[in-house]
Amino acid sequence: MSTNTTDDKRKVTTSRITEMKARGEKIAMLTAYDYTTAKLIDEAGIDMILVGDSASNVMAGNATTLPITLDHMIYHAQCVSNGVSRALVVCDMPFGSYQGDSLEALHSAIRIMKESRAEAVKIEGGSEVRESIERILSAGIPVMGHLGLTPQSINKFGTYAVRAKGEAEAEKLIEDARMLESIGCFAIVLEKIPAALAARVSAELHVPTIGIGAGSGCDGQVLVLHDMLGLNKGFSPKFLRRYADLGSEVNSAVGRYIDDVKNGDFPNASEQY
Ligand code: KIV
């Protein structure tokens, strides 16, 4: 039997994600927001696809993740689900869809699951949103937690700088991570926190941690697809590794197309009926 999920064509489930941590296999996650890219990264063998509320930034051009709505997230998650046969699809619950009260949170999560066919939801925050997470879990909906830099709280933080550098915030993060595991979250994203803190949390928990800007001690990693493919040149934090320069590729291809149209070279005789 294969020990690496990349060679294993079976559907990835939340229990397989937990098993991967137990046997020490790192978990690879990327974002996607549409059918075509979801299909490509699923075929490449990605373990989990996050329909992130970063769609607000990279798809809609907003400065923050706050404006994206539940309807928008459901639409993006539907498109992704249509392209995926193997990876586990996780959909972010957008700002305003779960903080108000736990019943609203449950209704929002049920809409995501029913209408988009995502297989889990992700929620930002710790003790403040515990009741909402418990209510969603009680309906049989898997929840991924998200601690550290939680971009939906940008107006509270005032900056996208590294979180939990001080003792008090680090202690709260550790407590929140323990709590999220104890109530039943199947994984926890740790965003932009010191690597030593992320490694400590990862070593203590049985559920996997998925890091972004949180160092190599996490059980898995997640990046925004547009950032790692070089489609979003304006964003270059220290933690980001660029695996391609698709922004330049697109620019050059479109430039050549424009030239060919302008000088009458496209279409040629073999490209017409
Ligand atoms: O929305 C998103 O893309 C995320 C990742 C950065 C973890 O939440």
mmCIF file of all heavy atoms in Angstrom, residues 32-63:
data_model
loop_
_atom_site.group_PDB
_atom_site.id
_atom_site.type_symbol
_atom_site.label_atom_id
_atom_site.label_comp_id
_atom_site.label_asym_id
_atom_site.label_seq_id
_atom_site.Cartn_x
_atom_site.Cartn_y
_atom_site.Cartn_z
ATOM 1 N N ALA A 32 -7.794 27.485 -4.532
ATOM 2 C CA ALA A 32 -8.322 27.594 -5.903
ATOM 3 C C ALA A 32 -9.704 28.205 -5.782
ATOM 4 O O ALA A 32 -10.353 28.108 -4.733
ATOM 5 C CB ALA A 32 -8.391 26.236 -6.599
ATOM 6 N N TYR A 33 -10.138 28.839 -6.870
ATOM 7 C CA TYR A 33 -11.428 29.542 -6.830
ATOM 8 C C TYR A 33 -12.279 29.236 -8.064
ATOM 9 O O TYR A 33 -13.382 29.743 -8.191
ATOM 10 C CB TYR A 33 -11.197 31.063 -6.763
ATOM 11 C CG TYR A 33 -10.064 31.443 -5.841
ATOM 12 C CD1 TYR A 33 -8.805 31.764 -6.347
ATOM 13 C CD2 TYR A 33 -10.253 31.448 -4.466
ATOM 14 C CE1 TYR A 33 -7.757 32.092 -5.496
ATOM 15 C CE2 TYR A 33 -9.216 31.775 -3.610
ATOM 16 C CZ TYR A 33 -7.962 32.088 -4.130
ATOM 17 O OH TYR A 33 -6.933 32.401 -3.281
ATOM 18 N N ASP A 34 -11.731 28.429 -8.998
ATOM 19 C CA ASP A 34 -12.440 28.180 -10.256
ATOM 20 C C ASP A 34 -12.196 26.741 -10.712
ATOM 21 O O ASP A 34 -11.269 26.062 -10.254
ATOM 22 C CB ASP A 34 -11.962 29.152 -11.352
ATOM 23 C CG ASP A 34 -10.527 28.884 -11.738
ATOM 24 O OD1 ASP A 34 -9.640 29.403 -11.054
ATOM 25 O OD2 ASP A 34 -10.286 28.122 -12.687
ATOM 26 N N TYR A 35 -13.034 26.302 -11.666
ATOM 27 C CA TYR A 35 -13.027 24.923 -12.171
ATOM 28 C C TYR A 35 -11.679 24.540 -12.791
ATOM 29 O O TYR A 35 -11.095 23.506 -12.464
ATOM 30 C CB TYR A 35 -14.159 24.778 -13.201
ATOM 31 C CG TYR A 35 -14.064 23.555 -14.063
ATOM 32 C CD1 TYR A 35 -14.466 22.309 -13.575
ATOM 33 C CD2 TYR A 35 -13.565 23.636 -15.357
ATOM 34 C CE1 TYR A 35 -14.366 21.175 -14.364
ATOM 35 C CE2 TYR A 35 -13.467 22.505 -16.150
ATOM 36 C CZ TYR A 35 -13.858 21.275 -15.656
ATOM 37 O OH TYR A 35 -13.759 20.157 -16.426
ATOM 38 N N THR A 36 -11.156 25.392 -13.696
ATOM 39 C CA THR A 36 -9.975 25.015 -14.477
ATOM 40 C C THR A 36 -8.743 24.831 -13.602
ATOM 41 O O THR A 36 -8.041 23.819 -13.716
ATOM 42 C CB THR A 36 -9.704 26.072 -15.574
ATOM 43 O OG1 THR A 36 -10.892 26.195 -16.362
ATOM 44 C CG2 THR A 36 -8.555 25.667 -16.479
ATOM 45 N N THR A 37 -8.467 25.785 -12.716
ATOM 46 C CA THR A 37 -7.266 25.624 -11.888
ATOM 47 C C THR A 37 -7.464 24.539 -10.841
ATOM 48 O O THR A 37 -6.524 23.818 -10.506
ATOM 49 C CB THR A 37 -6.831 26.954 -11.223
ATOM 50 O OG1 THR A 37 -7.958 27.552 -10.624
ATOM 51 C CG2 THR A 37 -6.201 27.898 -12.206
ATOM 52 N N ALA A 38 -8.690 24.380 -10.338
ATOM 53 C CA ALA A 38 -8.936 23.309 -9.358
ATOM 54 C C ALA A 38 -8.641 21.954 -9.998
ATOM 55 O O ALA A 38 -8.013 21.075 -9.397
ATOM 56 C CB ALA A 38 -10.371 23.375 -8.858
ATOM 57 N N LYS A 39 -9.088 21.779 -11.265
ATOM 58 C CA LYS A 39 -8.868 20.508 -11.968
ATOM 59 C C LYS A 39 -7.358 20.268 -12.157
ATOM 60 O O LYS A 39 -6.858 19.161 -11.929
ATOM 61 C CB LYS A 39 -9.583 20.565 -13.325
ATOM 62 C CG LYS A 39 -9.664 19.274 -14.084
ATOM 63 C CD LYS A 39 -10.724 19.417 -15.183
ATOM 64 C CE LYS A 39 -11.031 18.119 -15.870
ATOM 65 N NZ LYS A 39 -9.922 17.528 -16.564
ATOM 66 N N LEU A 40 -6.630 21.311 -12.540
ATOM 67 C CA LEU A 40 -5.179 21.179 -12.753
ATOM 68 C C LEU A 40 -4.461 20.782 -11.464
ATOM 69 O O LEU A 40 -3.627 19.861 -11.465
ATOM 70 C CB LEU A 40 -4.599 22.517 -13.258
ATOM 71 C CG LEU A 40 -4.830 22.847 -14.729
ATOM 72 C CD1 LEU A 40 -4.442 24.296 -15.010
ATOM 73 C CD2 LEU A 40 -4.030 21.906 -15.623
ATOM 74 N N ILE A 41 -4.766 21.442 -10.361
ATOM 75 C CA ILE A 41 -4.007 21.135 -9.138
ATOM 76 C C ILE A 41 -4.477 19.821 -8.522
ATOM 77 O O ILE A 41 -3.700 19.139 -7.860
ATOM 78 C CB ILE A 41 -3.990 22.308 -8.121
ATOM 79 C CG1 ILE A 41 -5.363 22.617 -7.536
ATOM 80 C CG2 ILE A 41 -3.388 23.547 -8.745
ATOM 81 C CD1 ILE A 41 -5.314 23.697 -6.445
ATOM 82 N N ASP A 42 -5.733 19.445 -8.775
ATOM 83 C CA ASP A 42 -6.192 18.130 -8.314
ATOM 84 C C ASP A 42 -5.446 17.035 -9.075
ATOM 85 O O ASP A 42 -4.952 16.072 -8.482
ATOM 86 C CB ASP A 42 -7.707 18.018 -8.530
ATOM 87 C CG ASP A 42 -8.288 16.752 -7.936
ATOM 88 O OD1 ASP A 42 -8.015 16.475 -6.751
ATOM 89 O OD2 ASP A 42 -9.012 16.019 -8.650
ATOM 90 N N GLU A 43 -5.340 17.202 -10.400
ATOM 91 C CA GLU A 43 -4.637 16.206 -11.216
ATOM 92 C C GLU A 43 -3.151 16.134 -10.846
ATOM 93 O O GLU A 43 -2.522 15.094 -10.992
ATOM 94 C CB GLU A 43 -4.827 16.528 -12.704
ATOM 95 C CG GLU A 43 -6.239 16.185 -13.192
ATOM 96 C CD GLU A 43 -6.589 16.744 -14.559
ATOM 97 O OE1 GLU A 43 -5.765 17.466 -15.152
ATOM 98 O OE2 GLU A 43 -7.711 16.473 -15.017
ATOM 99 N N ALA A 44 -2.589 17.244 -10.356
ATOM 100 C CA ALA A 44 -1.170 17.251 -9.943
ATOM 101 C C ALA A 44 -0.971 16.530 -8.614
ATOM 102 O O ALA A 44 0.166 16.263 -8.230
ATOM 103 C CB ALA A 44 -0.665 18.686 -9.849
ATOM 104 N N GLY A 45 -2.064 16.243 -7.902
ATOM 105 C CA GLY A 45 -1.946 15.448 -6.678
ATOM 106 C C GLY A 45 -2.021 16.216 -5.373
ATOM 107 O O GLY A 45 -1.631 15.686 -4.322
ATOM 108 N N ILE A 46 -2.539 17.432 -5.406
ATOM 109 C CA ILE A 46 -2.643 18.215 -4.162
ATOM 110 C C ILE A 46 -3.583 17.487 -3.178
ATOM 111 O O ILE A 46 -4.557 16.857 -3.593
ATOM 112 C CB ILE A 46 -3.142 19.661 -4.474
ATOM 113 C CG1 ILE A 46 -2.813 20.625 -3.351
ATOM 114 C CG2 ILE A 46 -4.633 19.697 -4.765
ATOM 115 C CD1 ILE A 46 -1.379 21.062 -3.328
ATOM 116 N N ASP A 47 -3.274 17.553 -1.883
ATOM 117 C CA ASP A 47 -4.087 16.839 -0.890
ATOM 118 C C ASP A 47 -5.390 17.582 -0.562
ATOM 119 O O ASP A 47 -6.447 16.973 -0.461
ATOM 120 C CB ASP A 47 -3.300 16.646 0.412
ATOM 121 C CG ASP A 47 -2.059 15.800 0.197
ATOM 122 O OD1 ASP A 47 -2.197 14.717 -0.412
ATOM 123 O OD2 ASP A 47 -0.965 16.213 0.616
ATOM 124 N N MET A 48 -5.265 18.884 -0.344
ATOM 125 C CA MET A 48 -6.462 19.673 0.009
ATOM 126 C C MET A 48 -6.494 20.944 -0.825
ATOM 127 O O MET A 48 -5.444 21.541 -1.098
ATOM 128 C CB MET A 48 -6.427 20.074 1.491
ATOM 129 C CG MET A 48 -6.691 18.944 2.445
ATOM 130 S SD MET A 48 -7.108 19.575 4.115
ATOM 131 C CE MET A 48 -5.482 19.955 4.758
ATOM 132 N N ILE A 49 -7.701 21.356 -1.191
ATOM 133 C CA ILE A 49 -7.882 22.626 -1.902
ATOM 134 C C ILE A 49 -8.719 23.528 -1.009
ATOM 135 O O ILE A 49 -9.804 23.142 -0.558
ATOM 136 C CB ILE A 49 -8.568 22.414 -3.268
ATOM 137 C CG1 ILE A 49 -7.658 21.574 -4.186
ATOM 138 C CG2 ILE A 49 -8.909 23.766 -3.901
ATOM 139 C CD1 ILE A 49 -8.225 21.306 -5.562
ATOM 140 N N LEU A 50 -8.181 24.718 -0.748
ATOM 141 C CA LEU A 50 -8.911 25.695 0.043
ATOM 142 C C LEU A 50 -9.556 26.709 -0.887
ATOM 143 O O LEU A 50 -8.859 27.390 -1.648
ATOM 144 C CB LEU A 50 -7.944 26.425 1.000
ATOM 145 C CG LEU A 50 -8.560 27.594 1.780
ATOM 146 C CD1 LEU A 50 -9.646 27.105 2.731
ATOM 147 C CD2 LEU A 50 -7.488 28.360 2.547
ATOM 148 N N VAL A 51 -10.885 26.782 -0.844
ATOM 149 C CA VAL A 51 -11.580 27.879 -1.518
ATOM 150 C C VAL A 51 -11.519 29.027 -0.517
ATOM 151 O O VAL A 51 -12.366 29.170 0.366
ATOM 152 C CB VAL A 51 -13.024 27.501 -1.878
ATOM 153 C CG1 VAL A 51 -13.669 28.615 -2.695
ATOM 154 C CG2 VAL A 51 -13.065 26.167 -2.620
ATOM 155 N N GLY A 52 -10.423 29.778 -0.588
ATOM 156 C CA GLY A 52 -10.134 30.781 0.431
ATOM 157 C C GLY A 52 -10.915 32.062 0.190
ATOM 158 O O GLY A 52 -11.243 32.409 -0.955
ATOM 159 N N ASP A 53 -11.155 32.781 1.291
ATOM 160 C CA ASP A 53 -11.765 34.105 1.106
ATOM 161 C C ASP A 53 -10.734 35.084 0.550
ATOM 162 O O ASP A 53 -11.055 36.237 0.263
ATOM 163 C CB ASP A 53 -12.432 34.616 2.393
ATOM 164 C CG ASP A 53 -11.473 34.753 3.556
ATOM 165 O OD1 ASP A 53 -10.284 34.407 3.411
ATOM 166 O OD2 ASP A 53 -11.934 35.217 4.629
ATOM 167 N N SER A 54 -9.477 34.603 0.340
ATOM 168 C CA SER A 54 -8.490 35.385 -0.415
ATOM 169 C C SER A 54 -8.978 35.604 -1.843
ATOM 170 O O SER A 54 -8.402 36.423 -2.579
ATOM 171 C CB SER A 54 -7.130 34.671 -0.428
ATOM 172 O OG SER A 54 -7.276 33.315 -0.799
ATOM 173 N N ALA A 55 -10.047 34.913 -2.259
ATOM 174 C CA ALA A 55 -10.710 35.220 -3.538
ATOM 175 C C ALA A 55 -11.088 36.695 -3.585
ATOM 176 O O ALA A 55 -11.093 37.316 -4.651
ATOM 177 C CB ALA A 55 -11.956 34.350 -3.709
ATOM 178 N N SER A 56 -11.393 37.256 -2.420
ATOM 179 C CA SER A 56 -11.744 38.681 -2.356
ATOM 180 C C SER A 56 -10.588 39.531 -2.875
ATOM 181 O O SER A 56 -10.798 40.528 -3.567
ATOM 182 C CB SER A 56 -12.076 39.065 -0.905
ATOM 183 O OG SER A 56 -12.396 40.432 -0.799
ATOM 184 N N ASN A 57 -9.340 39.118 -2.561
ATOM 185 C CA ASN A 57 -8.158 39.847 -3.026
ATOM 186 C C ASN A 57 -7.826 39.483 -4.461
ATOM 187 O O ASN A 57 -7.784 40.340 -5.339
ATOM 188 C CB ASN A 57 -6.943 39.531 -2.136
ATOM 189 C CG ASN A 57 -7.213 39.721 -0.660
ATOM 190 O OD1 ASN A 57 -7.332 38.739 0.075
ATOM 191 N ND2 ASN A 57 -7.314 40.947 -0.206
ATOM 192 N N VAL A 58 -7.558 38.175 -4.694
ATOM 193 C CA VAL A 58 -6.950 37.806 -5.977
ATOM 194 C C VAL A 58 -7.958 37.668 -7.118
ATOM 195 O O VAL A 58 -7.589 37.815 -8.272
ATOM 196 C CB VAL A 58 -6.073 36.537 -5.869
ATOM 197 C CG1 VAL A 58 -4.891 36.758 -4.966
ATOM 198 C CG2 VAL A 58 -6.845 35.328 -5.421
ATOM 199 N N MET A 59 -9.212 37.386 -6.811
ATOM 200 C CA MET A 59 -10.211 37.285 -7.882
ATOM 201 C C MET A 59 -10.956 38.605 -8.073
ATOM 202 O O MET A 59 -11.273 38.980 -9.199
ATOM 203 C CB MET A 59 -11.241 36.179 -7.579
ATOM 204 C CG MET A 59 -10.650 34.798 -7.430
ATOM 205 S SD MET A 59 -9.715 34.230 -8.864
ATOM 206 C CE MET A 59 -11.006 33.959 -10.048
ATOM 207 N N ALA A 60 -11.258 39.292 -6.966
ATOM 208 C CA ALA A 60 -12.103 40.488 -7.067
ATOM 209 C C ALA A 60 -11.328 41.790 -6.957
ATOM 210 O O ALA A 60 -11.873 42.856 -7.246
ATOM 211 C CB ALA A 60 -13.188 40.436 -5.986
ATOM 212 N N GLY A 61 -10.047 41.717 -6.523
ATOM 213 C CA GLY A 61 -9.240 42.936 -6.458
ATOM 214 C C GLY A 61 -9.516 43.819 -5.251
ATOM 215 O O GLY A 61 -9.128 44.987 -5.226
ATOM 216 N N ASN A 62 -10.190 43.270 -4.222
ATOM 217 C CA ASN A 62 -10.427 44.059 -3.012
ATOM 218 C C ASN A 62 -9.153 44.110 -2.169
ATOM 219 O O ASN A 62 -8.326 43.197 -2.203
ATOM 220 C CB ASN A 62 -11.548 43.425 -2.174
ATOM 221 C CG ASN A 62 -12.886 43.462 -2.886
ATOM 222 O OD1 ASN A 62 -13.278 44.499 -3.426
ATOM 223 N ND2 ASN A 62 -13.589 42.336 -2.910
ATOM 224 N N ALA A 63 -9.033 45.143 -1.342
ATOM 225 C CA ALA A 63 -7.848 45.297 -0.489
ATOM 226 C C ALA A 63 -7.873 44.324 0.681
ATOM 227 O O ALA A 63 -6.819 43.973 1.217
ATOM 228 C CB ALA A 63 -7.773 46.728 0.023
#
